[in-house]
Amino acid sequence: MRIRLDLDYDGTDFHGWARQGDSDLRTVQKVLEDNLSMVLRAPVDLTVAGRTDAGVHAAGQVAHFDIAQEALQQRSIDGDPTKLVRRLSRLLPEDIRVHGVTYAPEGFDARFSALRRHYVYRITTHPAGPLPTRVRDTATWPKPVDIQAMQTAADVLIGLHDFVAFCKAKPNATTVRELQEFTWHDVSTPTEPQLYEAHVVADAFCWSMVRSLVGSCMAVGEGRRAGDFTAQLLTASERSPDVPVAPAKGLSLVGVDYPGDDQLLARAEETRAVREALPGAAG
């Protein structure tokens, strides 16, 4: 049986999503798999929609795993995977919350069936920094910025491009992505002045891409880079050393979109075919 998980986490104290081999490093995948394996008394191997980096948060992450039906027949579960929500809430640390466990529809793949991923980046330029209650999910930029200049820099990046200038190198991975939305919002309040959010949506993201997109626009917004900085980066053939990477703490994966149940398998097959057709592609 394939099981879908819907979960959230504060990434501050994790070394990213992915389990690091046999290492004891604390990752979201390791903590979840270890606890699920203990409850179900069977090995669990999770596939995730978006492999977040160290320090990055999620408020809309999706994962799946396959398991024999017999493992779900224990007295405390009795064939109903939704009962895992309560079981896991008693076992997981406070910085992980699994709020949905369901049988996945036929053809569902958390990674390859996804149409797009939604991220929000939260950052303040106020000299006092973020509110103490938001310090774990709000980054700080040292200089004031012009939000209109940042939006202009973001607009030229929309579309299907090779974002190699914005991505850290990763073996056997493509850097071609379709950026569908990149909008800046002034979300300042009396208690949180000079506060901005970037809303970034794409079919998929490569390693460090969102933080590099944000950092590049912030550099334009503060006047450190020219207005055509981001447009010039699209012509690069390798990772640019001029791209500032915004701190991980401001970034959150807030949603993953999937097609209707009858289109899940077709979408997964289409995504795999596109990735395999691109030079050096793996995911």
Side-chain angles (χ1 to χ4, degrees):
M1 304 301 299
R2 177 157 292 184
I3 304 297
R4 169 174 170 161
L5 296 182
D6 290 89
L7 62 143
D8 318 309
Y9 48 87
D10 177 338
T12 305
D13 299 322
F14 289 101
H15 292 268
W17 162 267
R19 181 186 285 269
Q20 304 295 314
D22 295 328
S23 167
D24 288 331
L25 285 176
R26 187 174 189 260
T27 70
V28 181
Q29 183 180 16
K30 174 177 169 53
V31 171
L32 280 170
E33 287 181 348
D34 289 353
N35 280 279
L36 282 165
S37 298
M38 179 177 64
V39 171
L40 297 172
R41 302 173 188 172
V44 170
D45 183 13
L46 290 170
T47 296
V48 74
R51 292 175 52 149
T52 51
D53 297 336
V56 176
H57 318 292
Q61 182 69 278
V62 181
H64 81 252
F65 65 93
D66 296 327
I67 195 144
Q69 180 68 48
E70 306 86 76
L72 298 171
Q73 298 304 321
Q74 301 175 43
R75 183 181 304 174
S76 60
I77 303 171
D78 195 26
D80 182 0
T82 63
K83 293 183 178 179
L84 281 169
V85 172
R86 184 175 295 277
R87 288 291 307 277
L88 290 171
S89 71
R90 297 170 178 168
L91 296 170
L92 291 172
E94 291 184 339
D95 48 4
I96 301 181
R97 171 179 175 263
V98 174
H99 60 87
V101 185
T102 57
Y103 285 114
E106 184 177 354
F108 176 81
D109 186 296
R111 178 186 179 194
F112 288 112
S113 294
L115 294 170
R116 62 191 66 85
R117 284 87 171 162
H118 298 253
Y119 280 88
V120 170
Y121 195 94
R122 198 171 195 270
I123 191 164
T124 180
T125 61
H126 194 275
L131 280 177
T133 53
R134 298 303 301 262
V135 70
R136 290 169 72 93
D137 74 343
T138 306
T140 300
W141 196 262
K143 294 184 179 180
V145 292
D146 178 344
I147 192 173
Q148 186 54 56
M150 295 194 298
Q151 187 59 62
T152 301
D155 288 343
V156 302
L157 299 172
I158 297 297
L160 183 67
H161 304 289
D162 187 344
F163 287 94
V164 64
F166 301 89
C167 299
K168 291 183 179 178
K170 191 174 183 181
N172 301 317
T174 179
T175 50
V176 175
R177 297 289 187 268
E178 182 186 6
L179 188 63
Q180 299 171 0
E181 178 187 344
F182 189 3
T183 55
W184 283 95
H185 306 266
D186 186 335
V187 294
S188 302
T189 67
T191 56
E192 293 185 282
Q194 296 173 227
L195 181 67
Y196 307 96
E197 284 184 356
H199 294 199
V200 191
V201 181
D203 58 344
F205 293 91
C206 51
W207 191 12
S208 191
M209 178 176 164
V210 181
R211 293 163 57 201
S212 296
L213 293 173
V214 168
S216 298
C217 288
M218 295 293 288
V220 172
E222 73 165 63
R224 179 156 50 101
R225 301 293 185 208
D228 64 349
F229 177 57
T230 52
Q232 291 298 318
L233 288 171
L234 287 179
T235 67
S237 58
E238 59 184 8
R239 166 76 178 176
S240 172
D242 297 326
V243 172
V245 180
K249 65 189 297 185
L251 184 60
S252 297
L253 172 64
V254 297
V256 183
D257 293 342
Y258 293 96
D261 290 356
D262 60 339
Q263 295 296 314
L264 289 167
L265 180 58
R267 172 61 183 177
E269 292 174 344
E270 176 189 8
T271 304
R272 286 192 184 93
V274 170
R275 294 287 182 260
E276 291 169 0
L278 290 165

